Amino acid sequence: QVQLVESGGGLVQPGGSLRLSCAASGIIFSTYAMGWYRQAPGKQREWVVTIISGGSTSYADSVKGRFAISRDNAKNTVYLQMTSLKPEDTAVYYCNARHIYDDSLDYWGQGTQVTVSS
């Protein structure tokens, strides 16, 4: 049974920081690219960042320089360190795992709410 369990969301002030975690089980973690997506109220889900097993990363322009993704393959966990948060970062953040060779193996976490407000 595949599970992606997210944690770390909450309410922060503009300019603040937050660290999200996603713990995976039921997959061979090193064979999956991991990513974070977000969905704001009334908006479509958008891609934020991806990291492959070897550590290469890609960021959306909206978060580049402020967010940092990392993964610990030994712990089957991916992290998203968010700094200099803005109100427009407010969204439900979702963890995603996609197999590097088979796109049909595509899993999502339950989402965690991030609210940036004064």
Side-chain angles (χ1 to χ4, degrees):
Q1 185 175 357
V2 177
Q3 290 189 79
L4 302 177
V5 180
E6 298 153 326
S7 60
L11 174 65
V12 296
Q13 295 184 359
S17 300
L18 206 60
R19 189 196 196 203
L20 307 183
S21 299
C22 173
S25 61
I27 63 172
I28 302 175
F29 188 76
S30 62
T31 67
Y32 283 75
M34 303 298 298
W36 291 93
Y37 292 70
R38 66 187 183 186
Q39 187 168 21
K43 302 290 183 63
Q44 293 186 331
R45 188 173 299 186
E46 66 172 340
W47 168 77
V48 176
V49 61
T50 298
I51 185 169
I52 63 172
S53 184
S56 297
T57 58
S58 296
Y59 293 88
D61 288 342
S62 59
V63 306
K64 195 171 297 182
R66 300 187 299 118
F67 290 11
I69 191 171
S70 61
R71 66 190 292 162
D72 187 337
N73 286 353
K75 296 181 178 179
N76 285 10
T77 301
V78 64
Y79 306 94
L80 184 64
Q81 180 67 54
M82 304 183 293
T83 60
S84 301
L85 283 161
K86 305 174 181 179
E88 50 262 46
D89 295 318
T90 296
V92 177
Y93 283 71
Y94 295 92
C95 180
N96 171 256
R98 183 171 295 164
H99 197 275
I100 56 176
Y101 299 135
D102 187 353
D103 289 346
S104 71
L105 302 178
D106 188 15
Y107 305 101
W108 295 88
Q110 80 285 358
T112 185
Q113 177 71 49
V114 172
T115 302
V116 185
S117 177
S118 59

